[in-house]
């Protein structure tokens, strides 16, 4: 076997090992609050949140989960919060793409942690950006009181959700809420500010104050069913629109309501008949080596994503550390902006480091983004970037000006953007390649992703110098052994904070995915974006200088 083929097989084995670990993590978070709490849910005649989502979705249709690892490793003092205590994603219901939000009552009775609020707001953001109907499957005890100060009062906290309910209704984005369990206090506003509300008899309840609080506040003795059960809210108050006998009937009715919706205006993105790539499904695993340390040709990844493995490269001989290309992915026309990890030799004989953005590559990418906006072509960013080139030569050549030009183009782009962090994502390179702060419609990480202000080795040495300097000022002697111990401790802490799991737990990315799923996610993302016509124009003034 040739050395190159052996290396590719080793790369594949390493990626499969990482995907095996990812699968184990998924199985762990999918248990929610654990088997005992799942049994309690079933004993009440209720499905779990994930069972409800599966039942609601069209058979064999794609499910793009958002926030699967939200809250991972967080709130351990309270027993954790798997998937942020709420299942969120984009799926197809009665033939129509919808955003689905399902409270997981096995996790602290569906109580809202800070990350729960953040994930709910992310779901609403996706629905608003793409004008997708949103379905809420409500089963929640409300705000998690021990952390109320981190979820209640601020702009991006709990109350923003109800503000978004009102905005979406005013903009004609359909919202359907199914009350399938508790719905208490401020949380009661979410389903009632939706356009239609269903409630399950015997298990669903909705009230501003529960029986205990009513007793404490006004001295009235009343049970939960009389106070705000299905009969009360459907036949006396008229708050809910449909009274359902059980979870299955409720979800079947939601499907019917979605199926009766009319068509809305489309954005008009180009799509032709899809073609499979010429690469095998697992060839994409063979390209990258673990550790993000070895160069590779990003065009191999593009061939594994593009229909028929074909693409048209823009300015192929210029700015070679970023590859810009037109392609079709599952039939959809896309513009791809990808960091090239090969070491590049220029016409002058200069060697350019792979994964670094130089002035010429920044200029090229900015112009390509401008052209894609003019042609109404969605953009796909493949991030494996260590940052912009530094040093006197780059500074004299105007790297800041060209970098600003690229950031300007990304920030002002009006076509939908989709970002995949395939390897490194460091410093301003994260921004220039459409990181979370630049409003990608969806942003996902591959298993080798690393997100930080700089690489771990550089950061570790920088932080070490600061700590050593501080200790010396205190009169302490620093031996080489102590210095190494400090560096190892700093490096370990920093490395943990750069992992894709750390990022996914905090919703810096929407999820960690199998690289082989990238094509499907891009396709589903553009399908969603096609529901939102582009109303703004791209300002090219700052780009053409």
């Amino acid at each position: 076997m040739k050395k190159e083929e052996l290396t590719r097989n080793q790369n594949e084995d390493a990626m499969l090992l990482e995907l095996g670990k990812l699968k184990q993590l998924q199985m762990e978070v999918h248990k929610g609050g654990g088997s005992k709490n799942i049994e309690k849910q079933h004993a009440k005649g209720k499905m779990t949140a994930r069972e409800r989502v599966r039942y609601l979705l069209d058979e064999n249709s794609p499910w793009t989960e958002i926030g699967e690892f939200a809250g991972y490793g967080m709130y351990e003092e309270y027993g954790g919060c798997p998937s942020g205590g709420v299942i969120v994603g984009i799926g197809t219901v009665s033939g129509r793409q919808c955003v689905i939000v399902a409270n997981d009552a096995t996790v602290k009775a569906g109580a809202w942690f800070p990350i729960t609020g953040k994930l709910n707001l992310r779901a609403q953001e996706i629905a608003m950006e793409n004008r997708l109907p949103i379905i809420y499957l409500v089963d929640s005890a409300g705000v998690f009181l021990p952390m109320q100060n981190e979820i209640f009062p601020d702009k991006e906290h709990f109350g923003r959700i109800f503000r978004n309910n009102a905005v979406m209704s005013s903009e004609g984005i359909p919202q359907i809420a199914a009350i399938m369990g508790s719905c208490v206090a401020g949380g009661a506003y979410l389903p009632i500010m939706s356009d239609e509300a269903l409630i399950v008899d015997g298990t669903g309840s909705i009230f501003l104050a529960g029986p205990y609080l009513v007793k404490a506040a006004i001295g009235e003795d009343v049970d939960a069913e009389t106070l705000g059960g299905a009969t009360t809210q459907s036949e006396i108050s008229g708050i809910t629109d449909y009274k359902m006998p059980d979870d299955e009937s409720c979800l079947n009715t939601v499907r019917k309501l979605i199926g009766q919706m009319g068509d809305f205006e489309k954005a008009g993105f180009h799509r032709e008949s899809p073609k499979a790539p010429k690469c095998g499904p697992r060839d994409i695993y063979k390209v990258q080596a673990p550790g993000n340390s070895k160069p590779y040709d990003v065009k191999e990844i593009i061939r594994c994503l593009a229909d028929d493995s074909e693409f048209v490269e823009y300015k192929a001989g210029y700015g070679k550390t970023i590859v810009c290309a037109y392609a079709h992915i599952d039939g959809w026309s896309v513009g791809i902006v990808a960091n090239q990890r090969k070491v590049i030799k220029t016409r002058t004989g200069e060697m350019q480091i792979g994964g670094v953005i130089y002035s010429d590559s920044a200029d090229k990418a900015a112009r390509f983004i401008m052209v894609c906006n003019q042609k109404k072509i969605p953009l796909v960013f493949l991030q494996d970037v260590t940052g912009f080139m530094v040093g006197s030569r780059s500074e004299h050549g105007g790297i800041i000006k060209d970098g600003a030009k690229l950031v300007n183009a990304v920030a002002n782009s009006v076509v939908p953007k989709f970002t995949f962090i395939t390897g490194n994502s460091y410093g301003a390179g994260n921004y220039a390649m459409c990181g979370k702060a630049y409003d990608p419609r969806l942003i996902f990480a591959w298993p080798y992703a690393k997100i930080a202000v700089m690489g771990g080795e550089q950061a570790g040495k920088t932080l070490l110098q600061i700590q050593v300097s501080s200790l010396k000022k205190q009169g302490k002697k620093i031996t080489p052994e102590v210095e190494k111990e400090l560096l190892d401790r700093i490096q370990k802490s920093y490395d943990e904070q750069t992992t894709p799991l750390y990022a996914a737990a905090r919703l810096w990315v929407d999820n960690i995915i199998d690289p082989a799923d990238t094509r499907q996610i891009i396709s589903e993302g553009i399908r969603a974006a096609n529901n939102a016509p582009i109303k703004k124009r791209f300002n090219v003034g700052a780009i053409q200088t």
Side-chain angles (χ1 to χ4, degrees):
M1 184 181 294
K2 293 182 179 178
K3 183 179 179 181
E4 182 181 345
E5 187 60 29
L6 179 63
T7 299
R8 290 173 65 82
N9 288 342
Q10 289 171 338
N11 290 349
E12 181 183 13
D13 290 344
M15 180 60 81
L16 288 170
L17 184 62
E18 287 299 313
L19 292 174
K21 295 176 185 175
L22 183 64
K23 189 70 175 176
Q24 288 295 320
L25 286 172
Q26 287 174 323
M27 291 170 64
E28 181 182 335
V29 300
H30 286 194
K31 293 175 183 176
S35 56
K36 287 185 178 179
N37 287 329
I38 290 172
E39 288 170 13
K40 287 178 184 177
Q41 191 96 331
H42 288 161
K44 295 175 183 175
K46 297 164 65 175
M47 297 178 177
T48 65
R50 289 193 178 275
E51 288 167 347
R52 287 167 176 167
V53 170
R54 282 196 295 270
Y55 188 94
L56 188 61
L57 293 171
D58 290 353
E59 192 173 355
N60 298 322
S61 64
W63 167 244
T64 305
E65 185 157 352
I66 307 297
E68 186 172 21
F69 297 104
Y72 190 88
M74 300 165 67
Y75 317 120
E76 295 297 334
E77 65 273 34
Y78 299 114
C81 186
S83 297
V86 60
I87 315 306
V88 170
I90 304 171
T92 303
V93 178
S94 296
R96 183 184 291 271
Q97 264 188 323
C98 300
V99 174
I100 301 172
V101 180
N103 297 115
D104 187 350
T106 71
V107 180
K108 297 291 182 185
W112 290 55
F113 285 72
I115 198 69
T116 317
K118 189 173 182 179
L119 183 49
N120 273 263
L121 289 171
R122 177 63 178 140
Q124 291 182 321
E125 179 183 41
I126 291 170
M128 288 189 284
E129 284 183 330
N130 299 289
R131 298 192 63 80
L132 291 179
I134 185 165
I135 300 167
Y136 305 102
L137 306 180
V138 187
D139 193 348
S140 171
V143 167
F144 185 61
L145 291 178
M147 303 190 75
Q148 65 84 28
N149 62 314
E150 295 184 44
I151 189 171
F152 173 67
D154 210 347
K155 180 179 178 180
E156 298 297 329
H157 283 178
F158 196 55
R160 187 77 173 181
I161 292 163
F162 314 136
R163 175 264 186 194
N164 288 347
N165 286 142
V167 169
M168 281 191 278
S169 287
S170 72
E171 293 181 354
I173 300 170
Q175 300 173 84
I176 295 175
I179 302 159
M180 309 182 79
S182 298
C183 190
V184 184
Y189 285 106
L190 184 147
I192 306 313
M193 291 188 74
S194 298
D195 302 304
E196 293 182 278
L198 307 87
I199 188 167
V200 178
D201 193 16
T203 55
S205 60
I206 178 169
F207 31 65
L208 291 181
Y212 293 118
L213 184 53
V214 168
K215 175 68 174 176
I218 64 172
E220 180 185 357
D221 286 306
V222 61
D223 63 86
E225 191 65 25
T226 303
L227 184 63
T231 299
T232 295
Q233 302 295 23
S234 297
E235 300 176 19
I236 299 174
S237 72
I239 282 175
T240 55
D241 305 305
Y242 309 93
K243 179 182 173 183
M244 298 286 113
D246 50 41
D247 277 13
E248 288 85 353
S249 301
C250 183
L251 296 170
N252 288 336
T253 303
V254 171
R255 290 182 53 80
K256 290 174 184 176
L257 294 173
I258 293 292
Q260 291 171 339
M261 289 181 185
D263 286 331
F264 298 99
E265 184 184 358
K266 302 294 183 187
F269 300 126
H270 174 70
R271 192 180 196 187
E272 55 187 43
S273 298
K275 297 177 182 176
K278 291 177 181 175
C279 307
R282 292 192 353 188
D283 284 350
I284 200 166
Y285 302 158
K286 299 179 179 181
V287 181
Q288 291 175 280
N292 298 341
S293 58
K294 295 182 180 178
Y296 62 88
D297 189 350
V298 76
K299 294 177 189 178
E300 288 191 58
I301 289 178
I302 295 173
R303 291 187 190 100
C304 290
L305 299 177
D307 287 11
D308 211 28
S309 297
E310 292 184 352
F311 60 91
V312 177
E313 189 172 356
Y314 173 83
K315 290 184 182 288
Y318 178 73
K320 293 184 179 181
T321 62
I322 291 183
V323 173
C324 298
Y326 298 109
H328 287 88
I329 293 180
D330 198 34
W332 294 104
S333 177
V334 299
I336 299 171
V337 182
N339 299 113
Q340 176 59 283
R341 282 300 307 271
K342 283 175 65 177
V343 176
I344 302 298
K345 187 174 183 180
T346 67
R347 292 180 65 183
T348 61
E350 178 191 3
M351 302 302 288
Q352 292 189 341
I353 303 167
V356 177
I357 301 175
Y358 291 77
S359 284
D360 54 356
S361 50
D363 175 71
K364 176 177 81 170
R367 293 176 184 276
F368 180 71
I369 290 167
M370 176 187 71
V371 176
C372 285
N373 273 268
Q374 289 176 330
K375 293 181 177 180
K376 201 160 73 171
I377 298 174
L379 288 160
V380 174
F381 291 83
L382 303 177
Q383 275 199 24
D384 191 351
V385 58
T386 53
F388 285 87
M389 191 59 190
V390 296
S392 60
R393 183 171 180 179
S394 292
E395 297 292 357
H396 296 169
I399 186 66
I400 294 176
K401 173 177 64 86
D402 291 316
K405 189 186 300 183
L406 175 53
V407 170
N408 186 300
V410 173
N412 284 293
S413 177
V414 297
V415 296
K417 300 166 289 193
F418 303 90
T419 300
F420 296 85
I421 302 174
T422 63
N424 298 321
S425 180
Y426 294 153
N430 171 283
Y431 303 157
M433 292 296 292
C434 197
K436 185 69 182 287
Y438 289 80
D439 298 321
R441 295 290 176 94
L442 297 170
I443 178 168
F444 290 90
W446 285 11
Y448 294 156
K450 290 183 180 295
I451 305 167
V453 72
M454 65 178 72
E457 185 177 347
Q458 299 95 315
K461 289 178 180 177
T462 303
L463 291 168
L464 176 66
Q465 289 173 21
I466 294 168
Q467 284 201 21
V468 168
S469 176
S470 176
L471 290 169
K472 284 181 177 177
K473 285 179 182 178
Q474 296 171 31
K476 296 181 180 179
K477 186 178 180 181
I478 308 300
T479 65
E481 292 76 19
V482 170
E483 193 168 311
K484 184 180 184 306
E485 184 182 336
L486 277 172
L487 180 60
D488 289 345
R489 190 162 64 242
I490 291 167
Q491 188 83 51
K492 183 176 184 294
S493 174
Y494 193 89
D495 287 345
E496 286 173 357
Q497 293 175 18
T498 67
T499 66
L501 187 57
Y502 191 91
R506 288 152 183 81
L507 291 176
W508 300 347
V509 296
D510 290 322
N511 207 346
I512 309 168
I513 62 165
D514 182 337
D517 292 336
T518 306
R519 255 177 67 88
Q520 178 183 294
I521 289 171
I522 292 170
S523 179
E524 287 298 293
I526 299 176
R527 180 186 165 204
N530 200 38
N531 291 284
I534 298 171
K535 303 296 184 183
K536 296 190 296 184
R537 291 186 62 81
F538 181 71
N539 184 358
V540 301
I543 310 303
Q544 292 182 326
T545 56

